[in-house]
Structure formats: C-alpha cells, structure tokens
Amino acid sequence: MLSVVVFLPLVAAAALAVWRRPGPRAVARTWIAVSAADLLLVVWMWTRYRGGIAYETRARWIPSVGAGYHVGVDGLSLPLLAMTALLFLVCAVGSLRGTRRAGPYAALFLALETVCLGLFAALDLLLFFVFFDLSIVGMYFVIAGWGHGDHLRSALRFFLYTFLGSLALLLGFIGLYLGSRPRTFDMTDLTRNPPLADAPGTAALVLLAVAVGLAVKTPSFPFHTWLPPAHTDAPAAGSAILAGVMLKMGTYGFVRIAMPMLPGAWQRYAWVFVAVGVVGALYGALVALAQDDLKRLVAYTSVNHMGYVVLAVGAAGLVAGDARAGELAVSGAVTQMVSHGLVTGALFLLTGVLWDRVHDYDLGRLGGIAGRAPVFAGLTAVAAFASLGLPGLSGFIAEFQIFAGVIGTGSPGAVAAGALAVIGVLITAALFLRVLHRAFLGPPGELTPRVTEMRPGELAAVTPLLAASLVIGLFPRWLLDVIEPAATAVVSLVSR
Amino acid sequence: MNENPLDLLPELLVLGGAVIGLLAGSFLPRDRRRAVAWICGAALAGGTAAAVAAAARPGGTVFGAYAIDPLTHVARVTVMLATLAVVVLAAGRARGHPREAEEHVLLLLAALGAVVLAAADDLLVLVAAYLLASIPAYALAGIAGDARGTEAALKYYLMGAFLGVLMLAGVTLLYGLAGSTAYPVLGGRLPAASGAAVACGVVALLAGVLFKVGGVPAHFWVPDVAEGAPAVAAAFVTTVPKVGGFVALARMAGEFLAASPVDWRLLAALVAAATMTLGNLAAFFQDNVRRLLGYSTVSQAGYLLLPVVAAGRGGLAEPALLFYVAAYAVTNLGAFAVAVAVGRDSLDDHAGLARRAPGVAVALAVCLLGFVGTPPTAVFAGKVLAFTAAWDAGYAWLAVVAAVNTVASVFYYLRWIAPAFRPGEAAVRIRSRTAARVACGAAAISVLLGVASGLLLPGLSRGAPP
C-alpha cells in the first residue's frame, strides 16, 4: 500500500519519459491526475491510521550488510507525507501555464515526489540515504534546467554543498551500522537497541557526522549559505518543493534518526543544538529583514523557521527538563515542519506569480500592488501572517508549542534561549509588515503597472495550502492527535 | 596436485579465440575481416559461460600456481564481459579499418593477461601475467599510428618497462628471503625474515601492480593514454587491466602481505589517499573529456584501494572489492562509450547532447553520477561497502578522506553533465550508434547491479556457497 503511494509517481514519470512527444495539455493532465491520486491515497491511509507503525513492508535488500527495503508510517511521518503529496499536487496545478519543456519537467517532479515520499516512509538507514541523495540530484536538474538568473552557478553550489552534507550523513550511518550489535541498518532495530551506548567518544563523532549532514540540509546556521542562491534562482515550483519538503528532510532526520538512535550523545550535546537553533532563528530573521529581494527574503525566513525546529529538538534532549515540556517541544517541531511546508510553499508560489508578471523580485521597484491585484495582495498577506505566527493560522500552533515546550523545560539556559527566540518572531513580524507596506500598499512602484490579478490556475494552487494552514490553525486537534503519541515516544526514547 | 587443464577452460577459450582470430586476420581479405570480431566475441562469450559454470564447482588451485576461487571467478566474468563490450565498441566503427583484426586479437590477449594476473597464486605467474597484460596494451595504445597515440604508447611503455623491472627485482628479493615464490609459502616464511628486506621487496613488487591499476605514483601514463590513444583502446586500458590488478592486490594482501612484518596497510592507505586526492585535483579543470575521465579513473583507483587496505580484517573487504571493481568496470565503460559515441573530446562539443540524443545524455548522467556514488547505481553499493570495510578495519580516517574526495569529484563530473543538459542549439551529433547503445546498456546495468546488489553479494564472499 505504502509502496504504491511512494512509487506511483515514479511509474508515471517513466511513462512520461518514454512517451513520444506528448502535448503539453496531456502532460499537465497526467501530472495532476497522478499527484491527486497519490494525495487521495495518503488521505485514505490517514483515515485508517490507528497509531504505532502502520502500513509496514519489510523485505531483504542487501542482507550481507543488514540493509532492507523497510517502509512504514507513524505519527511523525504521516503528516509530512500528506504535506508532501499536497505540495506536489499544487505545484503541478501551479505549473500549468508557461513551462518550457513540460514533459521532462513533469517527469522530473514526479520522480522527485517519489523520492520525497520515500524518504519520509523509509525505515532503513540505507534506504533513507538513497532517497536523501537522489533528492539532491533531482533538485539540481530542476534548478539547472528551469531556473533563472545565475542558475547554473546556484545549482552547482547547491549540489556540492548538500552533497557534502549527504556524504557526512553516509559516514554517520556507517558508524551507526558498525556500532550496532548485531550489525544492521534497520531504523526500528537501531532505535530499539541504540548503538555505541558504551563508546561515548565514537558516539559523539557519529552524532557530529549525522548532525552536520542533516544541518546542511535543514539548513541550520552556519551551513545555510547554499540556500539563498538556490531558492532565488529556482523556478517557483522548485523553490516551493525545496523549501516546503526538502528542508524537512533534515529536521525529520533529527527526530527520526539522531535523537532515538544516539540518545546518550544527544543528551550530552543538546545545548549545542539549542544554541544553533537560537542563532539560526535570530540570524535568519535579521538577514531577512535586510533583504530587498522578495524571494531571498522568503528564503531567509526558512532559516529562521528551521531554527525554531532545531531549538525545539535540542531542548527535548535536556535531561534535566520536564518530560511533558519535551513532548510539547517535539510536537511543536513536527507541527512547524508541516506548517512551514504549507506556508512557505504558498509564499514561493506567490513570488512565482510575481516573477511571471514582472521578472523581478526587487521590493524597491514595487508598491501599491493591492490596488491592481487585490486577491494576490490578500493571499500574500494571509501567507505572511501565517508565516509570522498569527493566531488562527498554523504557524501559531507550531510556534506556541515550541516556545512553551522550550521554556517549560525549566532550566535557566533554556528559558533564556526561548526568550531570545521569541525576539525572532517579533523581527519576522516586522519584516513581513515591511514587505506588505512597501510592495502592496503605498504609492504604485515602477513595475506595478505590469502586475495583473491571479489566474484561476494560480489561485487553485495557492488557496489549498493557505486553507490547510487555516484549518490547522483553527482546529489543530486532528493533526496533534496523530503527532503527540509519536512525540511522546521520541522523548521517551531520547531520555533513555 | 590438481593438474586438470579443463579447469582453465575459460582462459583456454580466450587464448584459442586470439590465435584463431590472428590466423583468420592474416588470411582473410581486408573487407571480410569483420569475421575476426565475431570470432573474438564468440570466444569471450564462451569464456564467460565457462567461467560462470566453473563458479558453480568447488574451487582449488591448479598446477600449484593458479587459484580458482571467488576472486578468480569474478575477475574472469568481469574482464571477459568488459572486453566483450570493448570488442562491440571497436566493431561499431567504420568497416575495413586497416588494423581491425590486430586490434581485436590484442584486446583478447591483454584481457587474458588481466585474468591470469587476478588468478596468479605464484609470483612468477604474476610476472608473466604482468607482461601478457602489458605488452598488447602498449600496442593498442599506439595502434592508430598518429603522433598523440605514439607519444601515449611510448610513455605507457617506458613507465611499464621501468616498473616491471622494479617488480621483478622485488620478486627476486622475496624469493631470496623466503626460498619460494608461491603465495602460501611466502605467507609462512616471510614473518621470520628481516623486516627491512621484506619492506624493500614488497614496495618494489607493489610498484608493478600499482602501474597496472593506475595508482599514484605510477599513474602518469593514465591521462596521456586516455587522451591520446584511440578512444576504444583508452576505454580498455583504463578498465580491464585494473580489474586484474586489484584482484591480484587483494589476493596478495590476504595470502602473504598480512603475515609479513611490514605495516603494508598503512603504506596502502597512504597510497590510496594520495591517489584519490591527486587524481581529483588534476581532473578539476580538464576541458578534454577523455583526459578528465583518465584522471577520474585515477581517483577511482584510490577508492578501490580502500577494501585492499582492509583485506583480511572483517568479512566485508573481499566482497566490497569484487563488487566495486565490477561496478567500476561497467561505469567506466559506459562513460567512455559516450565519448566514443559523440566522437569529439572537448567539453563544449557535448553541449546540447540531451536535446540531440536524450538516451545517451541520460546514460552519461547515470554513469558520471554513478562515479560519484549516487544511489541506486552500482558504484554506490561498492562505495558504501568499501567505506564500511575500511572503517571496520580501523581506517576510519581513510573513509573520511574518501568521502571528502567524493564531494570534490562532483565538481568536475558536473562540468561535463551541465553542458550536456543545457538547453539550446545542439551542435553535437552521434557518430556511432553502436557506442550509444553500449553506453545505454552500461548505464542500465549499473542501475540494475546497484538495485540487485543484495542478490549478488552473498556469492562474492569466500566460503559462502557459490
């Protein structure tokens, strides 16, 4: 069942690749139909989900090193799978018009969908790594083939930088494998029986390798420098996937791999993650505040939001802390992953609309857009408010849990870290209000006459994301009921 | 002692193919020499079938100097299939090439040398195999008779002759110390010999083998031959002799180096680190795809030394080496086949390949990203195994060096991939349909090998039922 969900898009991609000269309409129809079918399957899986690890498949792959094809979903991965499927569907809808070489583009995105879904479903380290690495290759071709600006350079930097992270991750995985008894790459086995418990020095080095690999992908300060150029020069749908889905691969890895498999090392170095998280949150917000390029600005808010997630997972490792608070923080971190995927995906699609009209992101040359395109301005405002954490939208639910959890651990350092990170929210609020003020209100700018209202296709792409954010913001229980048991399990595993 | 010549059936078939091919080539009129390609291809296919059949039988040693074990089986199959692919590549060019027959025969003889190199269980057989694998290869490198090819062949020959003499000196020294050239006897007697003398002998011996595998500091011939020799010959000499050389290294490591009083593991680890690093650094700004591939094969030789360093410690080293060496052969042939198919060597000449021939461009991307170790290609599985084996043997630092080098290598592979996929006018065209098919086939096999690695690996371990 889960394997069908994961590999259905890949099969469609292969069909598109061998199909001789399909028309753009046929490509779009196939792309949307397959993505929609995949989303429906995930929703159906969600309705039948009853806790624990479900839809599990376990087959031998490379038995000589104890690696298998092992997939399954639980409360951590199910929301991310649903978010991924939704985001890929709206990207398909949003790319209906004006895409060059639509056939290969659709095939590439469908293949990427398989890679992203597969990563969140994987329960084997080697399988996880396969998808982790392939996501880099897929996104490289998206940026290099369909980007704008200095996209070849950005794509190269993206590939080199994130590949460095992935090799670090691979070394870390090999360390986990060699440290386990009996040797295995299986995540459930490694979680049940954490490796390297009796070798703290090696465990610290392995955690370092894994953490560097995941931090590059997240990206955490100071490993974020690949992100702004990659986002700025990627096509809108590519940025939405990169920010919405691929950044989560890093943070998901922390919750799924680093915390439960190296609990001792995680506890010892939890402060490092807390510090990295706070610095990332503040630095991302401050640099975003200084941007005049709208897309770069959105990219830096991702650094800020991922900073909160790293802060939360770090705080959950503070042994002295209250377990309840730790659970709240992890639950907030997972909610933030989902929320950030929806909201930032929407923001990048909206900047894509802007690029389509004026081929520029410079805030200084825009102004008074609200007068010419009220719906566009309204949706951007909603997305901005969701991103800065306004109550009633999903960002608030996530950030409230994170701050409550971090401060609730009770240790003075964590309280200080939480208080500092709250300043990040203030800066984010300031910068989004500044964007609204400069680009959407006020006198018309030089490029404003070229801005036209959103087309139905674009509307159909952005609205579901913001609607989902609103639903989570108003009625979060259905989401939290799935996440909270998994968060409890992670915290009990990390405090072993 | 087992003296059944039928145990050498795969080698005899290849030898027979070479002899019949040579005779046929001498007597047939020039426009009918295509028959030689068929004879050689049939001999290789027969040899492969015989090797697969032999793998199902219990192993052992033939004539006291020739080992029949998983190492030999894998080397036989890999070498013969790789040579078959090269024969197909060579036959894909225009008919009536004046030296067509000679080229095929030389390919077969060099391949035979590589197999014997891998299976040798005695230093004297090793020396004979070294010569058999080298001398036809020198001729292959210079077979076009043009200035660049001649220069490459001369450089290749001088270096091979020099290091071959050094190797012979090493063999002499080890014989003097142990009183025998058989590996098992060396393993028994070397521990008692003087450490310094053994170290000299081992270093001199390794010089010759390093020449075959293209490792630093014996790598200088690789880029020149890759660039100057005919593309098909370049594909062959950067692939097939390496298979033999690495398997020979693994065999020596397991049978007598591990027991010798010198710290050869550290030596091999340093050579590995130097090989991958220098190969990568030199490849960075090459604008000629064949020269770039030449340096890439040097860096790959560095990664392939990882399981050699780990040989004899932990059960993973041997399967890792065998799997990686086969994966490397497939990938390298695929990349060279793209160069043959395009027929132009400058990076700019490959611009727009994706537009003109999407299949070849995808094959190129699969092979080059495969070299980097992108899953699920074969080299990925090989690299994971090699890193794991090295770390398991206590050489975690070497695995880290290899990982850093892998990241660095992405840069120059992308310098080839990026123009191939750039949209716009395509000046490139496919000059050899056969080579294009070989490239696509190699890419497909690379992915299949990677996905199915779990099925093959158990058969590669010694002691496991074949």
Side-chain angles (χ1 to χ4, degrees):
Chain A
M1 181 64 219
L2 184 57
S3 303
V4 174
V5 172
V6 171
F7 288 103
L8 177 68
L10 186 66
V11 172
L16 277 179
V18 296
W19 190 355
R20 297 230 167 243
R21 306 194 182 287
R25 290 183 78 83
V27 168
R29 251 184 245 134
T30 318
W31 187 7
I32 293 176
V34 172
S35 304
D38 227 33
L39 178 63
L40 285 179
L41 285 173
V42 175
V43 170
W44 184 77
M45 274 169 45
W46 190 315
T47 56
R48 315 236 339 223
Y49 176 72
R50 296 286 173 271
I53 294 181
Y55 306 105
E56 209 175 351
T57 307
R58 195 167 184 176
R60 287 147 56 90
W61 177 31
I62 314 182
S64 17
V65 292
Y69 173 78
H70 189 182
V71 292
V73 295
D74 65 0
L76 298 176
S77 49
L78 192 52
L80 290 170
L81 284 172
M83 187 268 288
T84 305
L86 176 63
L87 210 53
F88 271 97
L89 174 60
V90 300
C91 284
V93 174
S95 310
L96 275 179
R97 282 183 81 259
T99 302
R100 292 165 286 144
R101 289 172 289 139
Y105 191 65
L108 200 51
F109 266 85
L110 285 167
L112 263 178
E113 182 167 4
T114 285
V115 167
C116 295
L117 293 170
L119 182 125
F120 293 126
L123 288 178
D124 183 278
L125 289 180
L126 219 51
L127 193 63
F128 181 93
F129 180 79
V130 167
F131 290 126
F132 194 88
D133 220 31
L134 283 178
S135 74
I136 299 172
V137 177
M139 192 42 79
Y140 168 79
F141 281 108
V142 168
I143 300 176
W146 286 271
H148 42 249
D150 195 5
H151 58 107
L152 287 177
R153 206 183 148 78
S154 303
L156 178 66
R157 190 201 282 207
F158 164 76
F159 199 132
L160 283 179
Y161 215 132
T162 49
F163 201 76
L164 178 69
S166 105
L167 260 294
L169 192 66
L170 179 64
L171 286 178
F173 286 177
I174 291 177
L176 287 173
Y177 165 75
L178 290 175
S180 59
R181 295 280 176 281
R183 287 185 177 174
T184 178
F185 276 110
D186 193 88
M187 289 193 200
T188 47
D189 293 349
L190 285 167
T191 306
R192 200 176 308 124
N193 193 0
L196 299 169
D198 49 352
T202 319
L205 286 177
V206 170
L207 179 63
L208 177 70
V210 170
V212 166
L214 295 173
V216 169
K217 193 85 174 177
T218 301
S220 300
F221 178 86
F223 301 110
H224 64 279
T225 48
W226 61 267
L227 178 130
H231 273 307
T232 314
D233 297 336
S239 299
I241 295 300
L242 182 56
V245 180
M246 292 199 182
L247 302 193
K248 310 304 169 303
M249 294 179 175
T251 48
Y252 173 75
F254 281 123
V255 183
R256 167 70 71 198
I257 296 168
M259 292 171 75
M261 290 181 202
L262 293 163
W266 187 273
Q267 287 170 17
R268 244 173 296 130
Y269 298 99
W271 284 112
V272 178
F273 294 96
V274 169
V276 167
V278 172
V279 173
L282 290 178
Y283 176 85
L286 285 172
V287 179
L289 185 63
Q291 297 302 319
D292 279 327
D293 180 314
L294 181 60
K295 209 172 179 189
R296 253 181 125 77
L297 179 145
V298 178
Y300 273 110
T301 63
S302 292
V303 177
N304 161 269
H305 284 116
M306 291 299 106
Y308 298 143
V309 176
V310 175
L311 166 67
V313 294
L318 297 174
V319 211
D322 177 11
R324 280 291 304 146
E327 286 158 21
L328 200 57
V330 172
S331 160
V334 178
T335 317
Q336 174 77 319
M337 292 183 214
V338 176
S339 160
H340 178 258
L342 299 173
V343 174
T344 307
L347 277 171
F348 275 121
L349 290 177
L350 287 164
T351 58
V353 172
L354 193 64
W355 176 264
D356 180 59
R357 309 294 194 272
V358 303
H359 284 265
D360 204 343
Y361 299 122
D362 190 351
L363 288 173
R365 301 173 68 193
L366 296 165
I369 294 178
R372 283 197 57 85
V375 178
F376 176 54
L379 286 177
T380 310
V382 173
F385 287 130
S387 185
L388 64 84
L390 193 76
L393 291 158
S394 60
F396 173 72
I397 305 292
E399 285 167 19
F400 178 76
Q401 289 187 77
I402 290 177
F403 295 130
V406 171
I407 295 174
T409 52
S411 66
V415 173
L420 277 173
V422 173
I423 300 175
V425 179
L426 289 179
I427 303 173
T428 323
L431 75 94
F432 272 118
L433 290 176
R434 185 168 150 269
V435 168
L436 295 178
H437 184 79
R438 285 179 69 182
F440 292 89
L441 306 172
E446 165 193 354
L447 294 172
T448 307
R450 284 157 60 188
V451 181
T452 51
E453 191 51 280
M454 289 174 76
R455 301 192 188 90
E458 292 160 350
L459 217 51
V462 175
T463 328
L465 294 175
L466 295 177
S469 171
L470 186 68
V471 170
I472 295 174
L474 295 177
F475 313 103
R477 240 14 280 173
W478 58 276
L479 179 64
L480 296 181
D481 281 343
V482 171
I483 295 177
E484 274 167 2
T488 311
V490 169
V491 171
S492 72
L493 287 170
V494 82
S495 40
R496 272 182 286 184
Chain B
M1 187 188 282
N2 177 7
E3 295 192 347
N4 180 6
L6 273 186
D7 282 340
L8 300 182
L9 186 61
E11 288 82 359
L12 292 175
L13 281 172
V14 174
L15 181 63
V19 172
I20 298 173
L22 188 62
L23 292 175
S26 319
F27 290 106
L28 283 174
R30 180 170 287 180
D31 58 340
R32 308 206 24 208
R33 288 196 190 148
R34 178 48 55 100
V36 177
W38 285 106
I39 292 170
C40 293
L44 287 167
T48 311
V52 171
R57 289 196 300 270
T61 310
V62 195
F63 300 111
Y66 199 85
I68 310 284
D69 59 4
L71 289 172
T72 307
H73 298 318
V74 175
R76 275 174 173 170
V77 173
T78 311
V79 165
M80 288 181 192
L81 287 181
T83 312
L84 188 58
V86 176
V87 167
V88 173
L89 271 184
R93 290 180 319 194
R95 272 163 196 270
H97 189 271
R99 300 197 190 282
E100 191 183 358
E102 289 88 332
E103 187 172 0
H104 288 126
V105 171
L106 288 171
L107 286 174
L108 250 66
L109 287 174
L112 184 62
V115 173
V116 180
L117 199 63
D121 206 28
D122 188 295
L123 289 178
L124 290 179
V125 179
L126 186 80
V127 170
Y130 175 88
L131 294 175
L132 182 56
S134 299
I135 293 168
Y138 306 144
L140 274 175
I143 201 162
D146 56 354
R148 287 195 315 166
T150 312
E151 188 195 329
L154 190 66
K155 198 161 183 176
Y156 192 19
Y157 168 72
L158 286 177
M159 192 130 192
F162 170 65
L163 292 169
V165 169
L166 207 57
M167 177 181 177
L168 210 53
V171 171
T172 314
L173 193 54
L174 290 177
Y175 174 66
L177 289 167
S180 168
T181 51
Y183 290 1
V185 184
L186 284 171
R189 296 191 189 155
L190 281 186
S194 142
V198 173
C200 289
V202 166
V203 169
L205 175 66
L206 289 184
V209 188
L210 273 182
F211 165 75
K212 283 277 88 172
V213 303
V216 170
H219 69 287
F220 292 104
W221 62 273
V222 179
D224 290 311
V225 173
E227 184 186 2
V232 175
F236 180 83
V237 297
T238 55
T239 309
V240 172
K242 283 197 187 199
V243 177
F246 276 111
V247 176
L249 269 179
R251 189 184 297 288
M252 289 194 279
E255 293 202 28
F256 67 90
L257 288 180
S260 74
V262 286
D263 190 359
W264 71 277
R265 275 184 216 279
L266 183 63
L267 176 70
L270 293 175
V271 169
T275 303
M276 57 182 95
T277 312
L278 290 182
N280 269 338
L281 291 181
F284 267 165
F285 292 104
Q286 298 299 339
D287 288 322
N288 180 304
V289 295
R290 276 158 61 190
R291 205 170 174 83
L292 186 152
L293 269 183
Y295 279 116
S296 125
T297 66
V298 174
S299 73
Q300 292 291 324
Y303 309 134
L304 273 159
L305 280 168
L306 256 66
V308 172
V309 170
R313 283 193 191 167
L316 267 180
E318 205 168 273
L321 180 89
L322 293 177
F323 192 84
Y324 198 158
V325 92
Y328 163 79
V330 171
T331 314
N332 201 41
L333 283 177
F336 266 104
V338 173
V340 174
V342 172
R344 293 276 184 275
D345 293 343
S346 157
L347 280 178
D348 296 332
D349 291 335
H350 288 244
L353 184 63
R355 205 167 183 76
R356 179 58 53 95
V360 179
V362 170
L364 176 72
V366 169
C367 288
L368 294 188
L369 291 176
F371 270 143
V372 178
T374 307
T377 57
V379 173
F380 163 68
K383 265 194 179 159
V384 171
L385 290 169
F387 287 8
T388 311
W391 188 332
D392 203 18
Y395 283 86
W397 65 267
L398 191 59
V400 173
V401 172
V404 172
N405 266 298
T406 301
V407 176
S409 71
V410 173
F411 175 75
Y412 58 83
Y413 291 124
L414 284 184
R415 284 188 68 224
W416 189 356
I417 295 178
F421 281 87
R422 196 176 298 150
E425 269 312 293
V428 59
R429 64 190 187 86
I430 297 298
R431 288 179 172 76
S432 164
R433 295 250 152 252
T434 317
R437 279 189 212 112
V438 170
C440 294
I445 292 175
S446 159
V447 173
L448 279 179
L449 263 183
V451 173
S453 48
L455 300 176
L456 298 170
L457 276 169
L460 301 185
S461 316
R462 213 189 277 255

Coordinates of all heavy atoms in Angstrom, one line a residue, chain A residues 61-94:
Chain A
W61 N 17.1 -6.5 1.2 CA 17.6 -5.8 0.0 C 19.1 -6.2 -0.1 O 19.5 -6.9 -1.1 CB 17.4 -4.3 0.2 CG 18.0 -3.5 -0.9 CD1 18.2 -3.9 -2.2 CD2 18.6 -2.2 -0.9 NE1 18.8 -2.9 -3.0 CE2 19.0 -1.9 -2.2 CE3 18.7 -1.3 0.2 CZ2 19.6 -0.7 -2.4 CZ3 19.3 -0.1 -0.1 CH2 19.7 0.2 -1.4
I62 N 19.9 -5.8 0.8 CA 21.3 -6.2 0.8 C 21.6 -6.9 2.1 O 22.1 -6.3 3.1 CB 22.3 -5.0 0.7 CG1 21.8 -4.1 -0.4 CG2 23.7 -5.5 0.3 CD1 22.7 -2.9 -0.7
P63 N 21.2 -8.2 2.2 CA 21.3 -8.9 3.5 C 22.7 -8.9 4.1 O 22.9 -9.0 5.3 CB 20.7 -10.2 3.3 CG 20.7 -10.4 1.8 CD 20.6 -9.0 1.2
S64 N 23.7 -8.9 3.2 CA 25.1 -9.1 3.8 C 25.5 -7.9 4.7 O 26.4 -8.1 5.5 CB 26.1 -9.3 2.7 OG 25.6 -8.9 1.4
V65 N 24.8 -6.8 4.5 CA 25.1 -5.7 5.4 C 23.9 -5.3 6.3 O 23.9 -4.2 6.9 CB 25.7 -4.4 4.7 CG1 27.0 -4.7 4.1 CG2 24.7 -3.9 3.6
G66 N 22.9 -6.2 6.3 CA 21.8 -5.9 7.1 C 20.9 -4.7 6.7 O 20.4 -4.0 7.5
A67 N 20.9 -4.5 5.4 CA 20.0 -3.4 4.9 C 18.9 -4.0 4.2 O 19.0 -5.0 3.5 CB 20.8 -2.5 3.9
G68 N 17.7 -3.4 4.4 CA 16.5 -3.9 3.8 C 15.6 -2.8 3.2 O 15.9 -1.6 3.4
Y69 N 14.6 -3.3 2.4 CA 13.6 -2.3 2.0 C 12.6 -2.3 3.0 O 11.7 -3.2 3.1 CB 13.0 -2.8 0.6 CG 11.9 -1.9 0.2 CD1 12.1 -0.7 -0.4 CD2 10.6 -2.3 0.3 CE1 11.0 0.2 -0.7 CE2 9.5 -1.5 0.0 CZ 9.7 -0.3 -0.5 OH 8.7 0.5 -0.9
H70 N 12.6 -1.3 3.9 CA 11.7 -1.3 5.1 C 11.0 0.1 5.1 O 11.7 1.1 5.2 CB 12.5 -1.5 6.4 CG 11.6 -1.7 7.6 ND1 12.2 -1.9 8.8 CD2 10.3 -1.8 7.7 CE1 11.1 -2.0 9.7 NE2 10.0 -2.0 9.0
V71 N 9.7 0.1 4.9 CA 9.0 1.3 4.9 C 7.8 1.2 5.8 O 7.3 0.0 6.1 CB 8.5 1.7 3.5 CG1 9.6 2.1 2.6 CG2 7.6 0.6 2.9
G72 N 7.3 2.3 6.4 CA 6.2 2.3 7.2 C 5.9 3.7 7.6 O 6.7 4.6 7.4
V73 N 4.7 4.0 8.2 CA 4.4 5.4 8.6 C 4.0 5.4 10.1 O 3.5 4.4 10.6 CB 3.2 6.0 7.8 CG1 3.6 6.1 6.4 CG2 2.0 5.1 8.0
D74 N 4.3 6.5 10.8 CA 3.9 6.7 12.1 C 3.5 8.1 12.2 O 3.4 8.9 11.3 CB 4.9 6.2 13.1 CG 6.1 7.0 13.1 OD1 6.2 8.0 12.3 OD2 7.1 6.8 13.9
G75 N 3.3 8.6 13.5 CA 2.8 9.9 13.7 C 3.7 11.0 13.2 O 3.4 12.1 13.0
L76 N 5.0 10.7 13.1 CA 6.0 11.7 12.6 C 5.9 11.8 11.1 O 6.0 12.9 10.6 CB 7.4 11.3 13.0 CG 7.7 11.2 14.5 CD1 9.2 10.7 14.7 CD2 7.5 12.5 15.2
S77 N 5.8 10.7 10.5 CA 5.9 10.7 9.0 C 4.6 10.9 8.3 O 4.6 11.5 7.2 CB 6.6 9.4 8.5 OG 6.0 8.3 9.0
L78 N 3.5 10.5 8.9 CA 2.2 10.6 8.2 C 1.9 12.1 7.9 O 1.5 12.4 6.7 CB 1.1 10.0 9.0 CG -0.2 9.8 8.3 CD1 0.0 9.0 7.0 CD2 -1.2 9.0 9.2
P79 N 2.0 13.0 8.8 CA 1.7 14.4 8.5 C 2.6 14.9 7.4 O 2.2 15.7 6.5 CB 1.9 15.2 9.8 CG 1.8 14.2 10.8 CD 2.3 12.9 10.3
L80 N 3.9 14.5 7.4 CA 4.8 15.0 6.4 C 4.5 14.4 5.0 O 4.6 15.1 4.0 CB 6.2 14.7 6.8 CG 6.7 15.5 8.0 CD1 8.0 15.0 8.6 CD2 6.9 17.0 7.6
L81 N 4.1 13.1 5.0 CA 3.7 12.5 3.8 C 2.5 13.3 3.2 O 2.5 13.6 2.0 CB 3.3 11.1 4.0 CG 4.5 10.1 4.2 CD1 3.9 8.7 4.6 CD2 5.3 9.9 2.9
A82 N 1.5 13.6 4.0 CA 0.3 14.3 3.5 C 0.7 15.6 3.0 O 0.3 16.1 1.9 CB -0.7 14.4 4.6
M83 N 1.6 16.4 3.7 CA 2.0 17.7 3.3 C 2.8 17.6 2.0 O 2.5 18.4 1.1 CB 2.9 18.3 4.4 CG 3.3 19.7 4.2 SD 4.9 19.8 3.4 CE 6.0 19.3 4.7
T84 N 3.6 16.6 1.9 CA 4.4 16.4 0.6 C 3.5 16.2 -0.6 O 3.6 16.8 -1.6 CB 5.3 15.2 0.8 OG1 6.1 15.4 1.9 CG2 6.2 15.1 -0.4
A85 N 2.5 15.3 -0.4 CA 1.6 15.0 -1.5 C 0.8 16.2 -1.9 O 0.6 16.5 -3.1 CB 0.7 13.8 -1.1
L86 N 0.3 16.9 -0.9 CA -0.4 18.1 -1.2 C 0.4 19.2 -2.0 O 0.0 19.7 -3.0 CB -1.0 18.8 0.1 CG -1.7 20.1 -0.1 CD1 -3.0 19.9 -0.9 CD2 -2.1 20.7 1.3
L87 N 1.6 19.4 -1.5 CA 2.5 20.4 -2.1 C 2.8 20.0 -3.5 O 2.9 20.9 -4.4 CB 3.8 20.5 -1.2 CG 4.4 21.9 -1.2 CD1 3.4 22.9 -0.9 CD2 5.6 21.9 -0.3
F88 N 3.1 18.7 -3.8 CA 3.4 18.3 -5.2 C 2.2 18.5 -6.1 O 2.3 18.9 -7.2 CB 3.9 16.9 -5.2 CG 5.4 16.8 -5.0 CD1 5.9 16.5 -3.8 CD2 6.2 17.0 -6.1 CE1 7.3 16.4 -3.7 CE2 7.6 16.9 -6.0 CZ 8.1 16.6 -4.7
L89 N 1.0 18.3 -5.5 CA -0.2 18.5 -6.3 C -0.4 19.9 -6.7 O -0.6 20.3 -7.9 CB -1.4 17.9 -5.6 CG -2.8 18.2 -6.3 CD1 -2.8 17.6 -7.6 CD2 -3.9 17.7 -5.4
V90 N -0.2 20.8 -5.7 CA -0.4 22.2 -6.0 C 0.7 22.8 -6.9 O 0.5 23.7 -7.7 CB -0.6 23.1 -4.8 CG1 -1.7 22.6 -3.9 CG2 0.7 23.2 -4.0
C91 N 1.9 22.2 -6.8 CA 2.9 22.6 -7.8 C 2.6 22.2 -9.2 O 2.8 22.9 -10.1 CB 4.3 22.0 -7.4 SG 5.0 22.8 -6.0
A92 N 2.0 21.0 -9.3 CA 1.5 20.6 -10.6 C 0.5 21.6 -11.2 O 0.5 22.0 -12.3 CB 0.9 19.2 -10.6
V93 N -0.5 21.9 -10.3 CA -1.5 22.8 -10.7 C -0.9 24.2 -11.1 O -1.2 24.8 -12.1 CB -2.6 23.0 -9.6 CG1 -3.6 24.0 -10.0 CG2 -3.3 21.7 -9.4
G94 N 0.0 24.6 -10.2 CA 0.6 26.0 -10.4 C 1.5 26.1 -11.6 O 1.8 27.1 -12.1

